[in-house]
Amino acid sequence: MARLPAAWPVATRRWGCAAAAFLLLLLTVQAAQKTDFSGEATAATINHSLTLLQRLQELLQNGNGSDSVLRVRTAASDEAKVFHTHQLLLSLQSEVFESLLRNQSIVTLHEPPETAALFEKFIRYLYCGGVSILLHQAIPMHQLASKYRVWGLQRGVADYMKTHLASESSQGHVVGWYHYAVRVGDAALQETCLQFLAWNLSAVLSSAEWGSVSVELLLLLLERSDLVLHSELELYTAVEAWLSRRQPEAPVAERVLRAIRYPMIAPSQLFRLQAQSAVLARHYAAVQDLLFQAFQFHAASPLHFAKYFDVNCSMFLPRNYLASSWGSQWVINNPARDDRSTSFQTQLGPSSHDAGKRVTWNILFSPRWLPVSLRPVYSDSASGAVQPVRIEDGRPRLVITPAMSSPDFAGVSFQKTVLVGVRQQGRVLVKHAYSFHQSSEEVADFLVHADLQKRTSEYLIDNSLHLHIIIKPIYHSLIKVKK
């Protein structure tokens, strides 16, 4: 039998008989394992961990051998929830409980209603090491784990939030999770939420959670050029609704309106906004210069415009627009089967001066392209042996090239963005975005971690690869801007 620590009688008096028996069981199992594996090679592991977990649940449920009591109170109720617990098990998981129970056996805890409602789940985790939660329970459970310094649970809930951004909920949850991540200083969760919102902004704009977006989050989103949405006009319409609902102070509203990229909106739509938008009429003086500049941009030749204005700024940089003039969707059935190709046309540039000019693009997709280092090499021997090459050595490749060249390309370069749609929780959303410039025909890490051979691959929807290719024309100055 295992040799017990010298402090065993003290531990027995301090933690209670049931907890002491649990510790004795652990020590006995450890000693037995050492004995088994020091002998013959035929030793086997006997695992009764499920039974042990069941016994621990019974300890909590029945309060057998309890040596401490937690009373959980909320401001909204005069009654307290009472939990008969075991100091050893709470102290093993939480340094806060270890400190609280050091000199007292009855502790009163004050919790807001949302965390008090989950306290039983929280305590059960401390006994059994597992808990099931729903979307609306993630924040209060994370708050409990953080308050009582249960670091394993805190990390687990944060990981749950990162992997359930796409889950459907009646009111939406990603915006709330982002705001919570900012409050608690979880930079990783904050960035994950922000990226999800940027790549799936159209879905957010039409949801109930758009109205709960904070000023800070809205400004962060408006700064980004990787927003995925149908058009800049769609973004303006959503911003107008946000301003009408929130009614922020004039300086905030004007800062938000100045973040709209008006040159990316057609002149006919700009005229309509000037005539019909109450928000724009209220703050017209703050954005008048931007609207005038947008009309100049559409009226003049881009090369002529670039002589007098700096076009190398965010105002003239397109976002990831899903409208047909900016790109095309491409659904590749059975993508692991063979190479495919297609073509589509886009508008030369966002300026109305280029509205009638089209660029044709050719796309090649290869599911098993081999780098030069892995291609077959013929031997000089008489047998002419070839190095064996496995299918899995290849990787997916996507090449995008213009089918034409023209003097009209002068002053325009093209950034290419490839969106990969995936199905998560029954919704088709953007999970990956790959961008590369005109100087390169392909992106080096395209689907580098995807396994297209598996029908269950997270990159496939009904055994098809869903891509959306976006061409972003970017004007640049050929002549230095006059000061």
Side-chain angles (χ1 to χ4, degrees), residues 316-359:
F316 300 98
L317 181 63
R319 307 185 201 265
N320 289 328
Y321 302 125
L322 299 176
S324 58
S325 58
W326 298 89
S328 176
Q329 188 178 25
W330 191 18
V331 179
I332 305 175
N333 298 319
N334 300 312
R337 190 179 64 196
D338 49 30
D339 294 356
R340 316 289 173 86
S341 63
T342 190
S343 62
F344 63 94
Q345 289 188 329
T346 61
Q347 186 174 313
L348 174 62
S351 169
S352 292
H353 188 274
D354 291 331
K357 302 172 185 177
R358 293 289 183 270
V359 181

Side-chain angles (χ1 to χ4, degrees), residues 102-118:
R102 184 168 296 150
N103 298 314
Q104 55 186 332
S105 59
I106 300 177
V107 176
T108 299
L109 305 172
H110 297 275
E111 296 290 337
E114 58 271 19
T115 55
L118 292 180

Side-chain angles (χ1 to χ4, degrees), residues 224 231 321:
R224 298 176 70 116
S231 66
Y321 302 125

Side-chain angles (χ1 to χ4, degrees), residues 137-411:
Q137 297 173 331
I139 288 179
M141 185 61 75
H142 193 277
Q143 290 174 322
L144 285 172
S146 303
K147 178 178 180 179
Y148 296 101
R149 300 183 185 179
V150 184
W151 306 126
L153 179 59
Q154 185 193 61
R155 289 190 298 269
V157 176
D159 290 342
Y160 166 85
M161 297 166 82
K162 293 173 189 175
T163 56
H164 284 75
L165 297 174
S167 298
E168 290 191 77
S169 57
S170 58
Q171 297 297 319
H173 55 279
V174 182
V175 171
W177 287 0
Y178 171 83
H179 291 149
Y180 176 72
V182 172
R183 289 199 305 271
V184 299
D186 190 330
L189 178 59
Q190 181 180 337
E191 180 56 34
T192 303
C193 291
L194 190 59
Q195 186 68 84
F196 178 89
L197 293 171
W199 285 354
N200 297 279
L201 190 60
S202 279
V204 179
L205 296 181
S206 58
S207 70
E209 62 180 334
W210 176 244
S212 65
V213 168
S214 65
V215 173
E216 293 75 17
L217 175 55
L218 179 60
L219 290 171
L220 276 177
L221 289 171
L222 292 176
E223 290 174 357
R224 298 176 70 116
S225 297
D226 65 339
L227 298 184
V228 176
L229 66 167
H230 187 265
S231 66
E232 193 73 16
L233 181 60
E234 178 190 26
L235 181 59
Y236 175 85
T237 303
V239 165
E240 183 181 41
W242 185 93
L243 290 171
S244 299
R245 178 175 178 176
R246 299 290 291 270
Q247 295 290 323
E249 295 181 356
V252 173
E254 293 166 3
R255 186 179 174 191
V256 168
L257 287 172
R258 290 189 66 82
I260 297 294
R261 301 182 182 183
Y262 296 100
M264 300 299 112
I265 303 177
S268 60
Q269 295 169 336
L270 287 175
F271 278 124
R272 183 176 59 81
L273 291 179
Q274 284 184 303
Q276 300 178 1
S277 172
V279 169
L280 196 60
R282 191 180 310 123
H283 302 283
Y284 184 77
V287 295
Q288 183 177 8
D289 61 321
L290 298 181
L291 292 171
F292 181 62
Q293 190 179 60
F295 284 119
Q296 289 178 303
F297 171 76
H298 286 292
S301 159
L303 287 177
H304 185 72
F305 182 85
K307 293 179 182 179
Y308 301 96
F309 298 96
D310 181 13
V311 294
N312 299 314
C313 62
S314 61
M315 188 60 62
F316 300 98
L317 181 63
R319 307 185 201 265
N320 289 328
Y321 302 125
L322 299 176
S324 58
S325 58
W326 298 89
S328 176
Q329 188 178 25
W330 191 18
V331 179
I332 305 175
N333 298 319
N334 300 312
R337 190 179 64 196
D338 49 30
D339 294 356
R340 316 289 173 86
S341 63
T342 190
S343 62
F344 63 94
Q345 289 188 329
T346 61
Q347 186 174 313
L348 174 62
S351 169
S352 292
H353 188 274
D354 291 331
K357 302 172 185 177
R358 293 289 183 270
V359 181
T360 301
W361 299 90
N362 293 328
I363 314 176
L364 170 67
F365 170 77
S366 176
R368 292 180 297 275
W369 175 79
L370 289 171
V372 174
S373 60
L374 294 177
R375 292 176 185 172
V377 177
Y378 289 90
S379 171
D380 294 333
S381 63
S383 61
V386 180
Q387 289 181 341
V389 178
R390 301 171 299 173
I391 290 179
E392 55 267 27
D393 288 331
R395 64 170 179 80
R397 183 189 190 195
L398 191 74
V399 180
I400 304 175
T401 55
M404 52 189 288
S405 60
S406 168
D408 289 330
F409 285 12

Side-chain angles (χ1 to χ4, degrees), residues 118-138:
L118 292 180
F119 208 85
E120 185 176 353
K121 277 179 174 278
F122 173 63
I123 293 296
R124 192 181 303 125
Y125 171 86
L126 300 184
Y127 276 71
C128 307
V131 65
S132 60
I133 58 175
L134 302 174
L135 295 174
H136 70 278
Q137 297 173 331

